[in-house]
């Protein structure tokens, strides 16, 4: 007759093996569950992106298309030579050079082609014009979103908060535009002074 303690030892070993197998399976299930959750999150991310895109398709994109078409038609009617001639004339006056010229360049050519209006300026004025034009990329989007559609989310982020409060967007867009004009005038003037100073030191 075999000793009793050997049977107990065998039973204890079997129980330990089953426990290890259970823990191993449970660990594998947790890993698979985490992978499944990660995959669901990944797919949901693209679903949300698709929903946002559909919102743009039915919202801002038609507006952008119409505005771009309007601007191109306006240039075709007026004539590119006349537009260029007008831009060249107003570039002689520093106030217009850093307000009206950047505004027109953004409205007509949009970002990033707007900076090519700098060809009408003297070399000493080009850095200041670029500073003014690039600083107007966002303020113009409130009224003319076609000018910088790639970064429209900056304005829309603020606009969504205003809309959530039940306020109108028109006053925000106008204030954004006016403040932008003031800022680019200051930046243009300061950058022009600095450019002239550096050019004198270099000479």
């Amino acid at each position: 007759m075999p000793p009793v303690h050997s049977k107990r030892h065998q039973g204890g070993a079997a129980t330990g093996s089953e426990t290890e197998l259970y823990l191993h399976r449970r660990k594998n299930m947790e890993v698979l569950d985490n992978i499944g959750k990660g995959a669901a999150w990944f797919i949901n991310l693209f679903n949300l992106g698709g929903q946002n895109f559909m919102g743009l398709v039915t919202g801002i994109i038609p507006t952008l298309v119409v505005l771009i078409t309007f601007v191109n038609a306006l240039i075709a009617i007026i004539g590119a030579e006349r537009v260029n001639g007008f831009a060249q004339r107003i570039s002689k006056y520093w106030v217009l050079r850093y307000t009206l010229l950047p505004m027109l360049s953004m409205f007509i050519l949009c970002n990033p082609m707007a900076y090519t209006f700098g060809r009408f300026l003297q070399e000493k004025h080009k850095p200041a014009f670029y500073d003014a034009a690039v600083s107007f990329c966002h303020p113009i989007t409130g009224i003319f979103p076609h000018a910088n559609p790639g970064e429209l989310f900056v304005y829309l982020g603020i606009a969504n908060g205003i809309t959530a409060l039940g306020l109108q967007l028109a006053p925000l867009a106008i204030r954004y535009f006016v403040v932008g004009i003031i800022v680019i005038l200051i930046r243009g003037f300061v950058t022009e002074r600095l450019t002239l100073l550096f050019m004198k030191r270099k000479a």
Side-chain angles (χ1 to χ4, degrees):
M1 187 173 180
V4 178
H5 64 84
S6 63
K7 290 184 177 180
R8 290 179 178 176
H9 178 71
Q10 292 175 359
T15 303
S17 177
E18 290 176 358
T19 302
E20 291 179 0
L21 181 61
Y22 170 75
L23 293 175
H24 180 70
R25 289 178 176 175
R26 184 176 179 180
K27 186 176 181 180
N28 289 339
M29 291 298 295
E30 290 178 353
V31 171
L32 291 174
D33 186 52
N34 290 332
I35 293 174
K37 290 180 179 179
W41 176 86
F42 186 73
I43 295 299
N44 187 54
L45 181 65
F46 286 92
N47 288 334
L48 292 175
Q51 293 175 11
N52 184 56
F53 177 74
M54 288 303 298
L56 293 175
V57 168
T58 57
I60 194 64
I61 289 181
T63 304
L64 294 177
V65 172
V66 172
L67 276 171
I68 292 173
T69 304
F70 169 76
V71 171
N72 291 335
L74 187 63
I75 294 173
I77 293 171
I78 297 174
E81 293 182 359
R82 290 183 180 178
V83 173
N84 292 340
F86 178 73
Q88 196 167 7
R89 285 195 297 273
I90 66 174
S91 66
K92 298 176 182 178
Y93 309 99
W94 75 270
V95 174
L96 300 179
R97 186 164 60 236
Y98 303 127
T99 53
L100 187 57
L101 188 61
M103 184 185 69
L104 285 177
S105 66
M106 279 291 168
F107 176 78
I108 295 172
L109 298 180
C110 307
N111 186 37
M113 289 299 295
Y115 312 122
T116 60
F117 261 36
R119 68 182 182 273
F120 301 124
L121 304 173
Q122 300 179 36
E123 290 298 321
K124 61 183 179 180
H125 296 147
K126 288 181 179 180
F129 168 76
Y130 174 79
D131 193 0
V134 77
S135 299
F136 201 58
C137 283
H138 296 300
I140 196 173
T141 54
I143 299 177
F144 305 112
H146 75 286
N148 191 23
E151 300 180 36
L152 188 58
F153 65 90
V154 177
Y155 173 74
L156 291 179
I158 302 171
N160 288 336
I162 297 297
T163 304
L165 294 174
L167 302 176
Q168 296 293 325
L169 289 180
L172 171 66
I174 293 171
R175 291 189 182 103
Y176 199 26
F177 188 88
V178 172
V179 170
I181 292 291
I182 296 172
V183 169
I184 64 175
L185 176 61
I186 295 172
R187 291 181 67 99
F189 177 77
V190 172
T191 304
E192 180 182 302
R193 297 294 99 188
L194 291 174
T195 301
L196 295 175
L197 178 63
F198 293 147
M199 290 177 72
K200 287 180 181 179
R201 286 184 178 180
K202 187 176 180 180

